[in-house]
């Protein structure tokens, strides 16, 4: 395993930890514990799901890039679509919840989803631009 080829995977993992830490600190400082405890999914579970899936996606993209760069874009579209479908099923309990702080719960989910989607997209763009 070459460090240079696995750099995007390691960077994705580090960014996941950094964003989780920032998010957790904001929650600890700005929100009462009672509000945080009512969330359908704890922050750790959301970051674990999205972080793991993003690291896996970036790892797959790196491997595909090494074999055939022409398939990187298609692979990105496919695995991102699968991730979106899984995220939709993961989101169902939040959408059906009737708790008082459901708006914050939805916002957490979508912010985390978008952050990791941006990371995956930027890695894919860098890979595709190196092709030219």
């Amino acid at each position: 395993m070459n460090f240079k080829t696995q750099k995007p995977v390691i960077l994705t993992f580090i960014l996941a930890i950094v964003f989780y830490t920032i998010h957790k600190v904001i929650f600890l400082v700005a929100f009462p514990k009672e509000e945080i405890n009512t969330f359908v999914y704890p922050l750790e579970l959301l970051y674990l799901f999205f972080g793991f899936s993003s690291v896996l996606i970036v790892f797959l993209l790196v491997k595909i890039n090494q074999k055939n760069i022409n398939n990187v874009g298609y692979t990105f579209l496919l695995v991102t679509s699968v991730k979106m479908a899984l995220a939709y099923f993961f989101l169902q309990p939040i959408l059906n919840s009737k708790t008082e702080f459901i708006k914050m719960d939805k916002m957490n989910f979508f912010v985390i989803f978008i952050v990791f989607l941006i990371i995956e997209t930027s890695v894919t763009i860098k890979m595709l631009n190196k092709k030219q």
Side-chain angles (χ1 to χ4, degrees), residues 69-131:
I69 194 164
N70 295 326
N71 292 331
V72 170
Y74 296 121
T75 303
F76 172 75
L77 290 173
L78 176 69
V79 294
T80 302
S81 297
V82 170
K83 178 183 165 186
M84 285 181 173
L86 289 172
Y88 177 75
F89 289 111
F90 201 47
L91 179 65
Q92 285 304 306
I94 295 173
L95 293 175
N96 296 328
S97 177
K98 303 293 183 207
T99 62
E100 184 180 346
F101 303 108
I102 194 64
K103 187 174 183 177
M104 180 62 78
D105 213 357
K106 289 177 186 176
M107 193 178 334
N108 273 337
F109 189 90
F110 285 112
V111 164
I112 296 168
F113 177 79
I114 289 171
V115 164
F116 283 105
L117 184 61
I118 289 170
I119 292 170
E120 295 163 14
T121 305
S122 62
V123 167
T124 305
I125 289 170
K126 285 181 182 181
M127 282 183 201
L128 292 173
N129 283 339
K130 283 183 181 179
K131 173 184 173 183

Side-chain angles (χ1 to χ4, degrees), residues 52-65:
F52 177 75
S53 62
S54 289
V55 167
L56 182 63
I57 288 170
V58 170
F59 179 77
L60 285 171
L61 292 175
V62 167
K63 291 297 181 189
I64 298 294
N65 188 31

